[in-house]
Amino acid sequence: MGKSPKRAAKRKSSFLPRLARGLYIVLFSLSLIIVVGFAAVNIFAPEPEVDSQVTINPNRHTDPSSPPVETDTPDNSPEPASDDLVLNRRDGVFTCLLLGVADQGGTDTIMLGVFDTQAKTASLISVPRDTVVYYNGKYQKINATYAGGEQAVADAVHDLLGVPIDYWVSVNLKAFSSIVNQIGGVYFNVPVDMDYEDPYQDLHIHIPAGYQLLDGKKAEGVMRCRNCYASADIGRAATQRAFLVALAKQTITPSNVGNVTSLINTFSQYVRTTMPLSDMVYFATQAIGMDLDTALTTGSLEGEWISPYWQLDDQSVLALVNSLGIYQEQVPAKALHIVHP
């Protein structure tokens, strides 16, 4: 017995409202998830707050025989001098100092990272460890300021380049070995043959040049080998930047989702930082979708070796600082404290 045309039409017409209600519920649920997720990120990982202005004393550290004297007001807040330089920061631009530290003490790696969360671009600049600075009343290599701790290095870089240091991250170089092993190795083009022995530092580096899969031990050797280059620290710094980019690309992949717990454990074991967890989450969300091939620029502070220091080229370093886009205005030369003993 056939179906009544009226009943078939009724069922057909009733199906459409049910489908519409179903789609509405799905869309509403997705919208709710997006709104709740966005709210959660902003509540638990809001944009970090930093000072909108940076005050620099252009006369600081200009006379080696006269260490700088801090003048405080009765409420212990610094009294600004009439010739202080005030620079305005651009919104959404943050800085972080990356320090690579060996077990024997001292920092082999000093890099300034700048992240523009609005333009979705980043810069990674090497500060040669033998760079001469005038710090605490004397000339010294910038890596020697590590004797005062990570914050002392951050203060020295701030004073040298006139840039704010929002955070510092100190990484024991063994962390690279552990991370590389956890993700199954890193493919990297080693630029030179590396053959170096230093039993005191437990360094036994024997790696041929060329594109290859590095395990943890070899990766640590690539990061630490300094005598493998004619330009010593300058050559090593360039390789370190290239390796960090390769490591980032090959770590942040869907295949490493299962390694998240072990990577976090490595981070807690080998890394010290002033960056709160909420800020880490914020920067991670802002970095989603970045193409490191086009969004990341790397470089180093140019200069020349005049024993026993790496002495910076004033004009090229000033141009580099301005290219970082940290400030709204052009940074004048007097904001930097480059010295030449």
Side-chain angles (χ1 to χ4, degrees):
M1 191 172 176
K3 294 181 180 178
S4 168
K6 289 185 177 181
R7 183 175 299 177
K10 184 177 181 181
R11 286 185 177 180
K12 186 175 181 180
S13 62
S14 65
F15 170 74
L16 293 177
R18 288 201 304 271
L19 176 61
R21 284 196 300 271
L23 290 174
Y24 175 80
I25 292 173
V26 171
L27 291 174
F28 176 79
S29 300
L30 289 175
S31 300
L32 185 62
I33 291 172
I34 293 172
V35 171
V36 171
F38 180 79
V41 168
N42 282 274
I43 293 173
F44 298 105
E47 180 176 348
E49 294 184 3
V50 296
D51 292 336
S52 61
Q53 293 183 325
V54 175
T55 301
I56 298 172
N57 180 354
N59 300 318
R60 181 176 170 85
H61 295 180
T62 55
D63 182 3
S65 64
S66 303
V69 177
E70 299 290 344
T71 302
D72 290 346
T73 56
D75 63 356
N76 292 324
S77 60
E79 181 179 348
S82 58
D83 56 351
D84 277 353
L85 176 66
V86 178
L87 297 173
N88 298 288
R89 295 184 58 165
R90 289 180 55 232
D91 292 337
V93 180
F94 301 89
T95 65
C96 181
L97 194 68
L98 175 64
L99 305 175
V101 180
D103 284 338
Q104 290 76 20
T107 175
D108 280 344
T109 303
I110 305 175
M111 294 185 186
L112 173 66
V114 181
F115 184 18
D116 187 333
T117 60
Q118 296 184 355
K120 302 296 183 183
T121 58
S123 301
L124 191 62
I125 307 300
S126 294
V127 180
R129 70 173 195 170
D130 292 332
T131 298
V132 60
V133 295
Y134 185 72
Y135 193 76
N136 278 349
K138 62 181 179 181
Y139 293 117
Q140 55 184 307
K141 296 178 180 180
I142 196 166
N143 74 321
T145 63
Y146 184 75
E150 292 92 346
Q151 188 58 50
V153 185
D155 291 342
V157 172
H158 162 66
D159 187 66
L160 175 68
L161 302 179
V163 299
I165 304 298
D166 298 323
Y167 314 94
W168 55 255
V169 176
S170 178
V171 184
N172 187 300
L173 293 176
K174 287 186 176 180
F176 295 105
S177 176
S178 178
I179 292 173
V180 168
N181 284 334
Q182 288 171 47
I183 66 174
V186 168
Y187 284 96
F188 184 67
N189 187 20
V190 179
V192 297
D193 290 328
M194 296 186 173
D195 288 291
Y196 181 69
E197 290 279 342
D198 186 345
Y200 174 73
Q201 297 189 65
D202 193 27
L203 282 178
H204 309 280
I205 305 172
H206 302 286
I207 307 170
Y211 188 77
Q212 58 196 283
L213 180 66
L214 300 176
D215 61 16
K217 183 177 180 180
K218 289 183 177 179
E220 184 180 353
V222 167
M223 288 291 288
R224 297 186 64 183
C225 192
R226 184 174 187 249
N227 291 8
C228 303
Y229 307 93
S231 56
D233 192 46
I234 304 305
R236 179 176 66 172
T239 298
Q240 288 174 338
R241 294 194 304 273
F243 179 79
L244 286 176
V245 173
L247 178 62
K249 289 181 180 178
Q250 296 173 50
T251 300
I252 308 173
T253 63
S255 61
N256 284 321
V257 171
N259 296 321
V260 170
T261 301
S262 60
L263 290 171
I264 290 175
N265 289 336
T266 299
F267 186 88
S268 62
Q269 180 179 359
Y270 291 112
V271 177
R272 286 164 37 85
T273 181
T274 56
M275 185 182 297
L277 179 59
S278 60
D279 290 3
M280 294 181 194
V281 173
Y282 175 80
F283 292 129
T285 60
Q286 297 302 305
I288 293 175
M290 283 183 62
D291 182 357
L292 294 182
D293 288 326
T294 58
L296 176 65
T297 59
T298 65
S300 182
L301 300 185
E302 295 184 16
E304 62 177 330
W305 175 256
I306 303 177
S307 185
Y309 303 115
W310 179 257
Q311 296 197 30
L312 300 181
D313 179 270
D314 298 54
Q315 294 302 316
S316 63
V317 172
L318 177 62
L320 177 60
V321 170
N322 273 305
S323 72
L324 297 176
I326 298 173
Y327 296 112
Q328 297 179 23
E329 53 270 291
Q330 284 289 106
V331 179
K334 63 181 181 179
L336 281 60
H337 294 126
I338 299 174
V339 294
H340 300 279

